[in-house]
Amino acid sequence: MFKEERHLRVSKIKEGTVIDHIKAGSALHVLRILGITGKEGYIVSIVMNVPSKKLGKKDIVKIEKRELNPQEVNLIALIAPNATINIIRDYNVVKKVKVTLPTKIKGFPRCANPNCITNAGREPVKPEFTVISREPLRLRCVYCGRDTTMEDIIKQLSQG
Ligand code: CTP
Ligand code: ZN
């Protein structure tokens, strides 16, 4: 990476996760969807708008001493559909996974329609969507037909 440059912008990490090839501008959304606020104490490095052969520009997030579970990897696919997740142990990339957004998603996020049965107060039905578009993200609720977008997801994340 950056062979043409004289130094790395952010040093290699010893243990943890590097989320690479995030669309430029989405790094903070990735942290938010993982629930990382900075208060947990992890060392987190964020690089934004670095040149990338594949994407033109990209963001990178490095989280030390934290590995992601499959559910978290799926969440990242919603926000950063081209991301690569690298698991680092003892300075080596021991696992590299390209995130994939399935055509159907279940359980997350909430439907943007407050009157949808998936938002009903008691015993709500689990949200379920068909992915209509990946970029920009557009998820169509299988129950009410309303679309939920990235902006809706970000809003939900910040409301907790
Ligand atoms: N990385 C890191 N610390 C390490 C090893 C790797 O921070 N100890 C970072 C690299 O800087 C890079 C990412 O993890 O951003 C993936 O590393 P690597 O697979 O070596 O890089 P590439 O071959 O460029 O990855 P790809 O083919 O996925 O573009
Ligand atoms: Zn709905």
Side-chain angles (χ1 to χ4, degrees):
M1 192 169 120
F2 308 134
K3 288 198 183 69
E4 70 279 13
E5 294 183 29
R6 302 212 174 162
H7 58 88
L8 288 171
R9 282 200 168 76
V10 175
S11 50
K12 304 250 166 199
I13 64 171
K14 183 165 189 281
E15 318 281 347
T17 303
V18 175
I19 307 164
D20 196 359
H21 305 120
I22 301 168
K23 186 181 162 199
S26 297
L28 295 177
H29 296 153
V30 167
L31 285 176
R32 194 172 277 178
I33 209 163
L34 293 175
I36 292 174
T37 64
K39 288 183 182 147
E40 300 77 19
Y42 296 110
I43 299 176
V44 177
S45 308
I46 304 165
V47 187
M48 293 184 186
N49 297 315
V50 291
S52 154
K53 285 192 197 91
K54 288 181 219 166
L55 301 174
K57 276 187 201 170
K58 68 173 179 179
D59 290 357
I60 306 170
V61 170
K62 301 190 183 191
I63 310 162
E64 296 185 37
K65 297 191 177 160
R66 168 89 147 69
E67 294 189 5
L68 305 183
N69 62 43
Q71 153 109 20
E72 291 175 316
V73 172
N74 285 339
L75 292 181
I76 291 172
L78 285 171
I79 298 287
N82 299 306
T84 310
I85 316 276
N86 299 276
I87 305 295
I88 315 292
R89 291 189 195 141
D90 199 20
Y91 290 104
N92 295 311
V93 177
V94 295
K95 200 169 166 204
K96 187 185 281 285
V97 185
K98 220 187 147 317
V99 302
T100 51
L101 188 58
T103 51
K104 290 256 180 199
I105 64 161
K106 258 189 199 176
F108 181 91
R110 289 201 302 273
C111 179
N113 173 8
N115 298 319
C116 179
I117 53 165
T118 62
N119 284 319
R122 233 179 272 173
E123 292 184 39
V125 179
K126 254 194 185 179
E128 195 173 331
F129 303 90
T130 305
V131 178
I132 299 294
S133 156
R134 284 159 195 254
E135 278 190 274
L137 185 69
R138 189 161 281 280
L139 306 174
R140 185 150 301 162
C141 177
V142 302
Y143 296 102
C144 73
R146 172 83 77 91
D147 286 353
T148 297
T149 64
M150 254 277 279
E151 289 66 39
D152 295 318
I153 295 173
I154 299 298
K155 223 186 290 166
Q156 290 176 22
L157 289 168
S158 55
Q159 287 162 353

PDB file of all heavy atoms in Angstrom, residues 141-155:
ATOM      1  N   CYS A 141     -39.024  -2.734   2.565  1.00  0.00           N
ATOM      2  CA  CYS A 141     -39.660  -3.560   3.589  1.00  0.00           C
ATOM      3  C   CYS A 141     -40.574  -4.578   2.925  1.00  0.00           C
ATOM      4  O   CYS A 141     -41.395  -4.218   2.078  1.00  0.00           O
ATOM      5  CB  CYS A 141     -40.456  -2.669   4.538  1.00  0.00           C
ATOM      6  SG  CYS A 141     -41.342  -3.589   5.799  1.00  0.00           S
ATOM      7  N   VAL A 142     -40.450  -5.859   3.284  1.00  0.00           N
ATOM      8  CA  VAL A 142     -41.303  -6.880   2.658  1.00  0.00           C
ATOM      9  C   VAL A 142     -42.730  -6.798   3.199  1.00  0.00           C
ATOM     10  O   VAL A 142     -43.645  -7.340   2.596  1.00  0.00           O
ATOM     11  CB  VAL A 142     -40.751  -8.320   2.836  1.00  0.00           C
ATOM     12  CG1 VAL A 142     -39.338  -8.451   2.263  1.00  0.00           C
ATOM     13  CG2 VAL A 142     -40.765  -8.759   4.287  1.00  0.00           C
ATOM     14  N   TYR A 143     -42.926  -6.094   4.313  1.00  0.00           N
ATOM     15  CA  TYR A 143     -44.267  -6.009   4.911  1.00  0.00           C
ATOM     16  C   TYR A 143     -45.061  -4.806   4.437  1.00  0.00           C
ATOM     17  O   TYR A 143     -46.233  -4.924   4.110  1.00  0.00           O
ATOM     18  CB  TYR A 143     -44.158  -6.007   6.434  1.00  0.00           C
ATOM     19  CG  TYR A 143     -43.591  -7.297   6.951  1.00  0.00           C
ATOM     20  CD1 TYR A 143     -42.253  -7.375   7.351  1.00  0.00           C
ATOM     21  CD2 TYR A 143     -44.375  -8.448   7.005  1.00  0.00           C
ATOM     22  CE1 TYR A 143     -41.714  -8.570   7.798  1.00  0.00           C
ATOM     23  CE2 TYR A 143     -43.844  -9.652   7.454  1.00  0.00           C
ATOM     24  CZ  TYR A 143     -42.518  -9.700   7.846  1.00  0.00           C
ATOM     25  OH  TYR A 143     -41.989 -10.883   8.278  1.00  0.00           O
ATOM     26  N   CYS A 144     -44.428  -3.614   4.422  1.00  0.00           N
ATOM     27  CA  CYS A 144     -45.206  -2.416   4.085  1.00  0.00           C
ATOM     28  C   CYS A 144     -44.763  -1.765   2.779  1.00  0.00           C
ATOM     29  O   CYS A 144     -45.420  -0.840   2.300  1.00  0.00           O
ATOM     30  CB  CYS A 144     -45.140  -1.398   5.232  1.00  0.00           C
ATOM     31  SG  CYS A 144     -43.538  -0.573   5.355  1.00  0.00           S
ATOM     32  N   GLY A 145     -43.640  -2.205   2.211  1.00  0.00           N
ATOM     33  CA  GLY A 145     -43.213  -1.658   0.925  1.00  0.00           C
ATOM     34  C   GLY A 145     -42.459  -0.340   1.009  1.00  0.00           C
ATOM     35  O   GLY A 145     -41.978   0.168   0.004  1.00  0.00           O
ATOM     36  N   ARG A 146     -42.340   0.217   2.217  1.00  0.00           N
ATOM     37  CA  ARG A 146     -41.612   1.484   2.386  1.00  0.00           C
ATOM     38  C   ARG A 146     -40.109   1.234   2.280  1.00  0.00           C
ATOM     39  O   ARG A 146     -39.615   0.182   2.689  1.00  0.00           O
ATOM     40  CB  ARG A 146     -41.966   2.075   3.762  1.00  0.00           C
ATOM     41  CG  ARG A 146     -41.152   3.291   4.172  1.00  0.00           C
ATOM     42  CD  ARG A 146     -41.670   4.594   3.606  1.00  0.00           C
ATOM     43  NE  ARG A 146     -42.849   5.079   4.306  1.00  0.00           N
ATOM     44  CZ  ARG A 146     -42.824   5.909   5.357  1.00  0.00           C
ATOM     45  NH1 ARG A 146     -41.698   6.344   5.835  1.00  0.00           N
ATOM     46  NH2 ARG A 146     -43.957   6.297   5.924  1.00  0.00           N
ATOM     47  N   ASP A 147     -39.388   2.211   1.728  1.00  0.00           N
ATOM     48  CA  ASP A 147     -37.941   2.073   1.602  1.00  0.00           C
ATOM     49  C   ASP A 147     -37.220   2.712   2.788  1.00  0.00           C
ATOM     50  O   ASP A 147     -37.621   3.765   3.274  1.00  0.00           O
ATOM     51  CB  ASP A 147     -37.444   2.710   0.302  1.00  0.00           C
ATOM     52  CG  ASP A 147     -37.799   1.859  -0.904  1.00  0.00           C
ATOM     53  OD1 ASP A 147     -38.302   0.732  -0.703  1.00  0.00           O
ATOM     54  OD2 ASP A 147     -37.570   2.320  -2.034  1.00  0.00           O
ATOM     55  N   THR A 148     -36.181   2.060   3.225  1.00  0.00           N
ATOM     56  CA  THR A 148     -35.306   2.559   4.289  1.00  0.00           C
ATOM     57  C   THR A 148     -33.948   2.813   3.653  1.00  0.00           C
ATOM     58  O   THR A 148     -33.465   1.998   2.871  1.00  0.00           O
ATOM     59  CB  THR A 148     -35.225   1.522   5.429  1.00  0.00           C
ATOM     60  OG1 THR A 148     -36.537   1.359   5.989  1.00  0.00           O
ATOM     61  CG2 THR A 148     -34.271   1.948   6.525  1.00  0.00           C
ATOM     62  N   THR A 149     -33.365   3.975   3.963  1.00  0.00           N
ATOM     63  CA  THR A 149     -32.106   4.379   3.329  1.00  0.00           C
ATOM     64  C   THR A 149     -30.981   4.465   4.360  1.00  0.00           C
ATOM     65  O   THR A 149     -31.219   4.325   5.562  1.00  0.00           O
ATOM     66  CB  THR A 149     -32.259   5.771   2.677  1.00  0.00           C
ATOM     67  OG1 THR A 149     -32.504   6.715   3.726  1.00  0.00           O
ATOM     68  CG2 THR A 149     -33.395   5.808   1.678  1.00  0.00           C
ATOM     69  N   MET A 150     -29.789   4.738   3.865  1.00  0.00           N
ATOM     70  CA  MET A 150     -28.625   4.955   4.734  1.00  0.00           C
ATOM     71  C   MET A 150     -28.895   6.029   5.779  1.00  0.00           C
ATOM     72  O   MET A 150     -28.542   5.892   6.932  1.00  0.00           O
ATOM     73  CB  MET A 150     -27.443   5.438   3.879  1.00  0.00           C
ATOM     74  CG  MET A 150     -26.413   4.420   3.656  1.00  0.00           C
ATOM     75  SD  MET A 150     -25.291   4.342   5.018  1.00  0.00           S
ATOM     76  CE  MET A 150     -24.240   5.716   4.613  1.00  0.00           C
ATOM     77  N   GLU A 151     -29.521   7.116   5.309  1.00  0.00           N
ATOM     78  CA  GLU A 151     -29.812   8.233   6.223  1.00  0.00           C
ATOM     79  C   GLU A 151     -30.703   7.757   7.360  1.00  0.00           C
ATOM     80  O   GLU A 151     -30.501   8.143   8.514  1.00  0.00           O
ATOM     81  CB  GLU A 151     -30.497   9.388   5.471  1.00  0.00           C
ATOM     82  CG  GLU A 151     -29.596  10.164   4.516  1.00  0.00           C
ATOM     83  CD  GLU A 151     -29.107   9.343   3.323  1.00  0.00           C
ATOM     84  OE1 GLU A 151     -29.908   8.543   2.776  1.00  0.00           O
ATOM     85  OE2 GLU A 151     -27.933   9.480   2.952  1.00  0.00           O
ATOM     86  N   ASP A 152     -31.684   6.916   7.044  1.00  0.00           N
ATOM     87  CA  ASP A 152     -32.565   6.376   8.081  1.00  0.00           C
ATOM     88  C   ASP A 152     -31.761   5.539   9.078  1.00  0.00           C
ATOM     89  O   ASP A 152     -31.966   5.628  10.287  1.00  0.00           O
ATOM     90  CB  ASP A 152     -33.664   5.493   7.469  1.00  0.00           C
ATOM     91  CG  ASP A 152     -34.623   6.276   6.574  1.00  0.00           C
ATOM     92  OD1 ASP A 152     -35.004   7.387   6.961  1.00  0.00           O
ATOM     93  OD2 ASP A 152     -34.954   5.769   5.490  1.00  0.00           O
ATOM     94  N   ILE A 153     -30.841   4.741   8.547  1.00  0.00           N
ATOM     95  CA  ILE A 153     -30.043   3.870   9.418  1.00  0.00           C
ATOM     96  C   ILE A 153     -29.159   4.710  10.335  1.00  0.00           C
ATOM     97  O   ILE A 153     -29.088   4.474  11.540  1.00  0.00           O
ATOM     98  CB  ILE A 153     -29.183   2.886   8.588  1.00  0.00           C
ATOM     99  CG1 ILE A 153     -30.094   1.930   7.810  1.00  0.00           C
ATOM    100  CG2 ILE A 153     -28.231   2.099   9.479  1.00  0.00           C
ATOM    101  CD1 ILE A 153     -29.362   1.036   6.832  1.00  0.00           C
ATOM    102  N   ILE A 154     -28.516   5.727   9.770  1.00  0.00           N
ATOM    103  CA  ILE A 154     -27.641   6.600  10.562  1.00  0.00           C
ATOM    104  C   ILE A 154     -28.452   7.290  11.661  1.00  0.00           C
ATOM    105  O   ILE A 154     -28.003   7.390  12.801  1.00  0.00           O
ATOM    106  CB  ILE A 154     -26.962   7.659   9.651  1.00  0.00           C
ATOM    107  CG1 ILE A 154     -26.088   6.985   8.585  1.00  0.00           C
ATOM    108  CG2 ILE A 154     -26.144   8.651  10.466  1.00  0.00           C
ATOM    109  CD1 ILE A 154     -24.939   6.177   9.100  1.00  0.00           C
ATOM    110  N   LYS A 155     -29.650   7.720  11.306  1.00  0.00           N
ATOM    111  CA  LYS A 155     -30.522   8.371  12.295  1.00  0.00           C
ATOM    112  C   LYS A 155     -30.836   7.404  13.442  1.00  0.00           C
ATOM    113  O   LYS A 155     -30.737   7.750  14.609  1.00  0.00           O
ATOM    114  CB  LYS A 155     -31.825   8.809  11.605  1.00  0.00           C
ATOM    115  CG  LYS A 155     -32.293  10.199  12.012  1.00  0.00           C
ATOM    116  CD  LYS A 155     -33.659  10.522  11.426  1.00  0.00           C
ATOM    117  CE  LYS A 155     -33.645  10.717   9.906  1.00  0.00           C
ATOM    118  NZ  LYS A 155     -35.022  10.686   9.323  1.00  0.00           N
TER     119      LYS A 155
END
